[in-house]
Amino acid sequence: MGLRCGIVGLPNVGKSTLFNALSNARAEAENYPFCTIEPNVGIITVPDERLDTLTELVRPRKTIPTVIEFVDIAGLVKGASKGEGLGNQFLSNIREVDAIVHVIRCFDDENIAHVDGRINPVSDKEIIDAELQLKDLETLEKRISKKDKVAKSGDQAARKEVAVLEQAKKTLEEGRNIRTMNPEGYERELLMKDLQLLTSKPVIYVANVDENGIQGNEYTSKLVELVKPENNEIILISAAIEAQLVEMDKEDRQMFLEEYGLSQPGLSRLIHVSYRLLDLITFFTAGEKEVRAWTVKNGAKAPQAAGAIHSDFERGFIRAEVIKYQDFVHYKSEHACREAGKLNIEGKEYVVQDGDIMHFRFNV
């Protein structure tokens, strides 16, 4: 699956520094707005200890993890929805991602300019929200204008659509994001997939702190309270510290983390939360040639999982041979699992579980 998370925020909040740490890429990270003009794209592997364990047991010729794309989108400013800064270009980039990673500056540093001249994470969040909401209002008003005439002619499908569009418009006019509507079914298909409204996208808030705020500070406390009603995740990360961590070897990295009272890098937490936010699970294929992790939506059935490998597998699906991860670890091989009766034969209605080790039978 092509999964993309867009990193957004005001200029100079640490987006590109975070992106560089994520991908170990070399996106510029200069101390002035609009340094990032074209979005940088990094292909990031999803850390998974289960993949490492399966590799040790199977000893394949190669191991292939699953991945997520992170896109470093240039900084938005107030007025972006009307074309201020490089507004429309950046808003278009946001429309193309599956989820938003909203980076908010939560540290003081007189050597790093803030676009508004002061540190105020609450205001920073509200500026980005307002710009995305205004752009969504523009999208909705155009669609309502187009569909309203058809609806007034008596077309029932158009009437149904206009009713949903008007409710979405009211939500935005009240200063709320479309995702707070919790759209399902037809509404979800229209607002999130068809119109791809910016504020319908799931979001993770990243509070970018300095080394003194890694466990929280006055800025993060305010941000946590602001985000709480949205039921969205907020992660405290020091982009500067993460940039140092990626340059260290494993032993030094662990010592560095322990100094700050951290169990794992913030980047690992961000990747896992992004994966969970998009409601994704991992299944594995394991053989002498390769051990590989695959991504599917939670709730996917066996033929859809087969299709993640190749469309021919889904079209010609016959059955799936499934071993639970814990059983594979316990018995240490596919053969031993088969002998112990821990290999199950599943059909088209089987719902894939996170960690399943699968082998597909299909007609060419």
Side-chain angles (χ1 to χ4, degrees):
M1 300 176 67
L3 305 165
R4 293 164 64 95
C5 293
I7 303 175
V8 306
L10 294 175
N12 292 346
V13 296
K15 298 181 311 300
S16 293
T17 303
L18 179 67
F19 174 83
N20 287 345
L22 272 168
S23 61
N24 209 15
R26 291 294 176 263
E28 294 178 85
E30 298 297 333
N31 183 23
Y32 56 89
F34 312 126
C35 171
T36 307
I37 297 176
E38 293 299 326
N40 297 286
V41 179
I43 308 297
I44 317 301
T45 60
V46 178
D48 196 324
E49 292 180 357
R50 296 172 302 181
L51 189 65
D52 299 332
T53 300
L54 290 174
T55 297
E56 291 176 9
L57 292 172
V58 178
R59 302 288 182 184
R61 289 196 286 274
K62 61 181 177 180
T63 299
I64 304 175
T66 191
V67 298
I68 293 181
E69 284 188 15
F70 280 87
V71 185
D72 179 22
I73 298 172
L76 290 167
V77 294
K78 190 173 183 178
S81 60
K82 303 300 181 185
E84 291 295 325
L86 298 174
N88 289 330
Q89 178 182 346
F90 302 156
L91 292 167
S92 175
N93 291 332
I94 295 171
R95 199 177 300 281
E96 295 171 1
V97 302
D98 301 298
I100 294 171
V101 177
H102 185 171
V103 181
I104 300 173
R105 179 172 167 180
C106 292
F107 66 91
D108 293 304
D109 189 331
E110 61 184 17
N111 296 315
I112 301 178
H114 187 288
V115 69
D116 284 340
R118 84 284 182 270
I119 309 302
N120 187 335
V122 171
S123 174
D124 289 359
K125 176 189 178 301
E126 290 173 345
I127 287 171
I128 298 296
D129 278 352
E131 294 306 320
L132 299 186
Q133 289 166 5
L134 286 169
K135 196 64 180 177
D136 279 350
L137 269 173
E138 181 184 309
T139 300
L140 286 171
E141 286 166 355
K142 287 180 180 178
R143 185 67 167 247
I144 291 170
S145 177
K146 179 180 177 181
K147 289 290 180 178
D148 201 36
K149 295 176 184 177
V150 182
K152 287 177 179 176
S153 72
D155 186 290
Q156 293 302 312
R159 283 185 176 181
K160 181 180 180 182
E161 180 173 331
V162 169
V164 174
L165 297 174
E166 291 286 3
Q167 183 59 43
K169 181 183 175 186
K170 182 183 177 183
T171 298
L172 292 170
E173 288 172 341
E174 292 172 350
R176 296 185 292 123
N177 294 316
I178 294 298
R179 58 182 164 269
T180 64
M181 294 173 61
N182 296 315
E184 294 293 340
Y186 172 76
E187 291 184 359
R188 182 181 181 87
E189 193 71 24
L190 174 62
L191 301 176
M192 300 181 73
K193 293 187 178 180
D194 185 5
L195 294 177
Q196 292 187 311
L197 296 180
L198 303 175
T199 65
S200 73
K201 296 181 183 294
V203 63
I204 304 166
Y205 294 101
V206 172
N208 186 19
V209 298
D210 58 17
E211 62 180 22
N212 296 318
I214 203 71
Q215 302 295 340
N217 58 29
E218 61 175 313
Y219 296 130
T220 63
S221 296
K222 292 176 182 176
L223 191 59
V224 167
E225 286 302 309
L226 183 65
V227 169
K228 192 179 294 182
E230 299 182 18
N231 292 320
N232 285 314
E233 301 231 23
I234 179 167
I235 303 175
L236 275 59
I237 292 180
S238 170
I241 288 177
E242 298 296 325
Q244 296 178 56
L245 284 170
V246 296
E247 301 294 338
M248 298 179 183
D249 60 35
K250 188 174 181 178
E251 187 175 325
D252 288 343
R253 188 183 303 126
Q254 190 57 43
M255 290 175 60
F256 196 82
L257 287 170
E258 288 173 2
E259 285 182 20
Y260 287 98
L262 300 172
S263 59
Q264 61 178 327
L267 299 183
S268 294
R269 286 185 285 126
L270 175 58
I271 293 168
H272 285 301
V273 169
S274 302
Y275 206 68
R276 187 168 68 249
L277 182 71
L278 292 169
D279 198 22
L280 305 174
I281 61 172
T282 299
F283 75 91
F284 303 96
T285 52
E288 291 181 2
K289 183 180 178 182
E290 68 177 31
V291 167
R292 183 164 183 168
W294 302 89
T295 298
V296 291
K297 278 282 188 182
N298 189 17
K301 294 184 178 179
Q304 293 171 292
I309 299 174
H310 197 287
S311 57
D312 287 348
F313 287 21
E314 182 171 7
R315 282 193 294 268
F317 179 88
I318 300 174
R319 65 177 184 272
E321 298 175 355
V322 182
I323 302 173
K324 298 302 178 186
Y325 172 77
Q326 292 299 339
D327 287 335
F328 199 103
V329 172
H330 179 76
Y331 290 100
K332 304 192 182 306
S333 73
E334 179 182 326
H335 176 74
C337 287
R338 191 185 297 271
E339 290 292 309
K342 296 298 183 180
L343 186 150
N344 298 320
I345 305 300
E346 304 289 356
K348 292 183 178 180
E349 295 304 309
Y350 176 71
V351 177
V352 179
Q353 303 299 305
D354 188 48
D356 279 353
I357 298 157
M358 307 185 75
H359 180 72
F360 299 100
R361 300 294 183 183
F362 63 98
N363 286 319
V364 178

